[in-house]
Amino acid sequence: MKIFFLGFLFIFCTQKGMSEELKISEEYPVVILGGGVGALTSALYLSRAGFTPLVISGPVPGGAITFSSRIQNWPGEKEISGVELAEKIQRQVQDNGSIILPENVLKVDFSKRPFVITTKSPYDEKIREIKAQNCIVALGSMPNFLGVPGESIYFSRGVYSCATCDGGFYKDKAVVVVGGGDSALTEAQYLANIASKVTLVVRKESLQSTDLQRKMEILSHPKIRVLYSTIIEDVLGNGQKVSQVRVKDLPTGANYEFSTDAVFLAIGSKPTTDLFQGQLELDANGYILLKKGLQTSKEGVYAVGDVCDPEFKQAITAAADGAKAALQLQKQVSGSVHASKSDKMSPAAASSVLSITSEKVLEKEMKETSSVMFVFFYTSQCMPCKRFSLLYESWASSYSQKIKFCKIDCHELREVAKKYQIHSVPTLVILDKEKRVLWKGVSINDHKIINALLEREKDNPILDKKIFNIDRS
């Protein structure tokens, strides 16, 4: 992205008004890095105190909590999904005047005020420089990987890090979950409701979860078997999908293989703090060191949640950190000029994307298509899908006169997803009116290609379907 600050920035807004542009002032009293519960709680407290914080939500809107299919320990909620909880908090934050920017942070400069934060859109490559008098770091953590042969080859084609995103593709199939902690047990329970068999591969001699009830449920579940003191050494397949894993029994050293259709990783995480090397003091494991309350080694910079918490790693403790950091910041900047709330979002425009509710509706829409039809395959629990939907809605807003835009929930229309060989989400399929597949893209790089193509062809009154015959080599 190039530097666009000539007084204002324009972004596509999240949730409310996805296809609508927002005006953002160049400098903020507070910029919050991260989109999880800790970040959103800080934004809520600050916006209600008269600030207009900018939340740079990053690659996973809603944070790590969105990977939990069932949450039963959030006060006031008997049971709620992580996605639903994150969306409720985000709506509340936006209703109170916070602005959310769904971009990635490339680098920060905390050497002097105003701090400079450089961001990049995941799709159009544009670079922004955002200035902040204060900053709250709440980037959370990222999942670990095994680092074994086959893992990268089959990632998104049988190897995943989110059961709620991709588990639905393995109904009545055999799957593996790797890990022995709380997240692994949550994934195993979720998948046991979908798959025919779940094998939980645990490196240690026992489950490491702190939830005794959940442990008992796992050990007594008829669909779940647990392999203790076992590691995966290789992920095997036919080049297109996973078929087996090779494992090693640690006490005996014996290797053996067994069949599986998918592998789901739940083996912990590491703090997302590489950006702050040389900017903030970190401990030996990369966690941000706190000096006074939630303040870091740099005055005006605060940290909350998993970036500074190697022990608890709970959504509720991240929310508490977020509230305390906001209150501490308020005290320290008391009397300073707050940003105006005049840039609040206006009501969302009607979506130009049609939700397909049956295969008959899809057939009808294809028959009525004059040129090409874009079909976005997604699931309701998939956070990468929600991120891609921002771009997809913007395409629909700009090109609906030339292209028909539709979306299909893979969990609702499983047979349609199977027909188009959808194995992971988000997937974009481009069809012509003869029902032929012109393009199929899964990765963010595929989506970038289409974004660049549409930008190049935006002044053409009619789009020739031949433009989608693209060499991706």
Side-chain angles (χ1 to χ4, degrees), residues 59-199:
V60 186
I65 198 172
T66 58
F67 297 124
S68 296
S69 58
R70 294 191 306 161
I71 297 170
Q72 298 176 324
N73 58 0
W74 187 267
E77 298 285 354
K78 185 175 181 180
E79 182 172 300
I80 188 171
S81 74
V83 169
E84 185 182 359
L85 178 59
E87 287 180 344
K88 287 175 71 173
I89 299 172
Q90 184 165 302
R91 282 195 300 270
Q92 184 182 15
V93 166
Q94 288 178 303
D95 287 345
N96 277 276
S98 297
I99 298 173
I100 298 181
L101 176 65
E103 295 190 354
N104 299 316
V105 179
L106 289 183
K107 63 180 180 179
V108 298
D109 182 358
F110 291 154
S111 60
K112 63 179 181 179
R113 279 177 160 142
F115 306 133
V116 179
I117 299 153
T118 305
T119 70
K120 181 179 182 179
S121 164
Y123 295 108
D124 61 15
E125 302 298 318
K126 294 175 182 175
I127 304 292
R128 308 180 198 271
E129 283 190 354
I130 299 167
K131 297 177 181 177
Q133 288 297 324
N134 299 276
C135 184
I136 296 177
V137 178
L139 288 174
S141 55
M142 293 298 290
N144 292 326
F145 292 90
L146 293 170
V148 300
E151 180 183 42
S152 60
I153 294 173
Y154 293 105
F155 196 79
S156 82
R157 293 187 295 167
V159 178
Y160 308 96
S161 60
C162 174
T164 55
C165 298
D166 301 298
F169 297 112
Y170 295 92
K171 183 174 174 59
D172 299 326
K173 295 183 181 295
V175 301
V176 167
V177 175
V178 186
D182 288 317
S183 60
L185 270 59
T186 298
E187 302 277 84
Q189 277 187 311
Y190 175 81
L191 289 166
N193 294 322
I194 301 169
S196 60
K197 181 172 66 175
V198 178
T199 300

